[in-house]
Amino acid sequence: MSQPLISPELVVLDAPFGPTKLEVIDELAKVVAAAGRAEAAGLARDARAREGITPTGIPGGIGIPHCRSAAVNTASLGFARLAQPVDFGSKDGPADLVFLIAAPDGADDAHLKLLAKLARGLMKKEFTGALRSATSAEEVAAIVTAQVEPERVAQPAGVEAGAAAMAAGSGAAASSTPQAGGGDGRLRRIVAVTACPTGIAHTYMAAESLERAGKELGVEVVVETQGSAKGDRIPAEVITGADAVILATDVGVKGKERFVGKAAVVSGVKRAINEPEVMVKEALAMADDPSGYRLPAEGAAGAGAAEAKPETNAGWGTRLRQILMTGVSYMIPFVAAGGLLIALGFLLGGYDITDVADQVVAENSFANLPEGGLMIYLGAVFFKIGAIAMGFLVPALAGYVAFAMADRPGIAPGFVAGSVAVAVGAGFLGGIVGGLLAGGIGLWLSSFKPPRWLAGLMPVVIIPLLGSLVAGGLMYMVLGRPLAALMTALTNWLNSLDGASVVVLGVILGLMMCFDLGGPVNKTAYTFATAGLAAGDAASFRVMAAVMAAGMVPPLAMALATAVRGKLFSAVERENGAAAWLLGASFISEGAIPFAAADPLRVIPSMMLGGAVTGGLSMALDVQSRAPHGGIFVFFAIDSAVFFVLAIAVGVVVSAASVLLLKGMKKKA
């Protein structure tokens, strides 16, 4: 028999870990490593990275940091009952029970099923109560093993009713028979899907929460878990007989087309853990409301579809931000590929390649090189490919903004509206407006319930045709020219900036780049900069340089800080600091996220201060960048590269000094 998931040496009672959750993760990683089951630094790094996606605190004073990691050689559960509760991000307060769930990178299905049993058990008060009252590490190990691997041990005294009952019921796919039906005497049934990014913990805890809520409310709830452990699909006849569906996922739903036409409540996975009763009631209310939301046929668009429908508890401000960020996230690969290819074209063929590229690629080949030789030819080819890729920037933005609103029915109208925006000179503002317009039209057209003979033509002919016609027509005839005038005014304003005003713009962009390190504010500043590259003017190049320089500051500053005063940081943070040198040099702001997550009140303001200094200096020194990404590795596409490096260096020193000062004050206190 393989090693158990948990043993006494993996348990620490009344642990003095903290005061932050990342420090708890670091200490539990050391506990797992001391048992010979993992390499501490690698496990801590991967668990921290997972924690950065979404907090792992759950109701009931529980933290469940978890990951799949190449640093783990044996599936393990590290457990700490904390002397002082630590905040893991749960709405109901800090956690005193913490499990570090460590799965090998290639964990087999058997191990993942055991972890799923633990996740379900954590939603049961009898189980967590037994953990809080345990008096020894051996007793904790026995309680947990009874939940996840009951065949290994006899039930410890005092926990038979709790752990044994949970072990027996942990694999159920639905709640027990409900005690009440609908108003017509018919049994009410809800089907649900739960899924989280790693598929280890939240997936199964959400399932357990929904099933228990259904039992308490007298409703049959049948849950399909789409996690790392292979789960059984809900039978088609069960779905057919269901009143409503709950999709509680943070990733795309597999087989979403099975639920088309059902009254639906859509949310992230954590809401099902925090508010299961509310979601069950909402689903039933949606089913009873003839005008309530129904999952449309195109809701099965695959990866990304989960984010394309609004959460029922999200306001329009939140939804608008999510929609725009979806468009931006799909646009950025076009920017990165196109911009870097253009920069390489400049490197090989010189900046004059813009004047001759069309002629060179049309008239020359490897067998007929142009005057200037191979470098000119390759430079022209790279430049033209990059320019074509950049030409997709606005259509991709518009197409995927529309996709975020309407799923696949919005893509074709969105790309058409974005292309029209380019044709009339409306730029990225036109792309945003066109995408929202196309998405709204696609969503509206999808709401109709056509006759069965017409339904098959709706997604492939009728919606793309009508959506493209209406959205493209409105952009050409009504909205295009005003938006083009606005873009022209914005470009002229940028070109007119000089002196103090251009420095202020740099400061603002620097603050935005360092505020959330790759989040919506950071992406807004970056999109503003990259969208201007297509204009090809000096003002846009200055904005791009300021944004890239400021975005490099946070990881470089934390790397410098950990190198100068390593005692102020944990061992894992020092390791992250060593890696942050390369991340910062490559313009990957996210390299500073582990530090910001561990100590946001000291790290984020320090990063913003340095970013503001760098952005202002870059503008003042008239640094220009023709490349949208790459950091110091695209120096050939940066005018005044020496000043570019100087602006970054000054900002890095300012941020590093600031964070060291604040952390030093904390240590003295």
Side-chain angles (χ1 to χ4, degrees), residues 81-322:
R81 191 172 67 197
L82 301 178
Q84 293 295 328
V86 172
D87 185 9
F88 270 79
S90 177
K91 291 182 178 180
D92 69 340
D96 64 324
L97 301 180
V98 182
F99 277 96
L100 175 59
I101 305 175
D105 205 16
D108 60 31
D109 198 50
H111 279 135
L112 294 171
K113 285 182 177 179
L114 296 180
L115 296 175
K117 287 184 178 182
L118 172 70
R120 287 176 172 272
L122 288 171
M123 303 311 298
K124 301 177 180 180
K125 294 180 180 179
E126 307 89 24
F127 180 63
T128 55
L131 293 176
R132 287 191 171 93
S133 60
T135 58
S136 68
E138 289 75 13
E139 186 177 356
V140 168
I143 293 169
V144 176
T145 302
Q147 166 64 26
V148 298
E149 301 176 281
E151 69 279 5
R152 284 189 179 271
V153 296
Q155 304 301 327
V159 298
E160 290 87 348
M166 282 174 281
S170 61
S175 61
S176 60
T177 304
Q179 299 168 0
D184 57 359
R186 181 179 59 85
L187 183 67
R188 305 302 299 269
R189 175 190 294 162
I190 294 173
V191 291
V193 175
T194 61
C196 66
T198 55
I200 293 177
H202 288 88
T203 297
Y204 305 99
M205 300 173 83
E208 182 69 25
S209 294
L210 290 172
E211 291 166 1
R212 289 173 69 87
K215 182 177 180 181
E216 292 173 2
L217 294 171
V219 178
E220 182 184 10
V221 178
V222 183
V223 184
E224 177 180 308
T225 54
Q226 295 185 358
S228 294
K230 183 178 179 182
D232 294 330
R233 280 201 165 194
I234 300 174
E237 61 272 17
V238 175
I239 297 175
T240 301
D243 296 271
V245 58
I246 293 174
L247 301 180
T249 71
D250 291 333
V251 294
V253 176
K254 300 172 186 174
K256 196 173 180 181
E257 68 278 359
R258 296 172 292 156
F259 308 105
V260 167
K262 290 292 182 184
V265 174
V266 183
S267 79
V269 69
K270 286 200 74 174
R271 188 180 181 225
I273 298 174
N274 295 329
E275 301 177 347
E277 297 88 353
V278 175
M279 292 190 72
V280 170
K281 291 177 181 178
E282 284 181 0
L284 294 177
M286 200 73 72
D288 294 336
D289 182 359
S291 62
Y293 175 67
R294 300 296 188 270
L295 205 64
E298 292 304 313
E307 67 182 358
K309 289 300 172 192
E311 291 189 16
T312 53
N313 64 327
W316 270 107
T318 299
R319 282 298 301 135
L320 180 61
R321 176 180 63 79
Q322 293 171 342

Side-chain angles (χ1 to χ4, degrees), residues 297 450-460:
R452 180 169 297 181
W453 61 268
L454 185 61
L457 293 176
M458 288 291 288
V460 294

Side-chain angles (χ1 to χ4, degrees), residues 412-563:
F415 269 84
V416 169
S419 298
V420 173
V422 173
V424 300
F428 82 98
L429 288 179
I432 291 173
V433 173
L436 293 171
L437 179 64
I441 294 168
L443 193 60
W444 177 66
L445 292 173
S446 298
S447 67
F448 288 96
K449 294 180 174 58
R452 180 169 297 181
W453 61 268
L454 185 61
L457 293 176
M458 288 291 288
V460 294
V461 177
I462 296 174
I463 294 176
L465 171 64
L466 296 179
S468 299
L469 176 62
V470 176
L474 287 174
M475 286 299 296
Y476 256 126
M477 296 184 290
V478 180
L479 299 171
R481 287 187 178 87
L483 289 169
L486 183 58
M487 278 299 299
T488 300
L490 177 60
T491 301
N492 292 338
W493 172 71
L494 284 175
N495 283 315
S496 69
L497 291 175
D498 57 13
S501 57
V502 76
V503 173
V504 171
L505 177 61
V507 168
I508 293 172
L509 291 171
L511 290 170
M512 294 175 69
M513 287 300 295
C514 299
F515 175 71
D516 53 1
L517 304 174
V521 176
N522 172 287
K523 287 295 188 288
T524 299
Y526 183 69
T527 302
F528 174 70
T530 55
L533 283 180
D537 53 56
S540 298
F541 295 151
R542 285 200 300 268
V543 169
M544 189 70 253
V547 163
M548 184 154 61
M552 294 167 66
V553 166
L556 290 174
M558 295 312 304
L560 178 61
T562 55

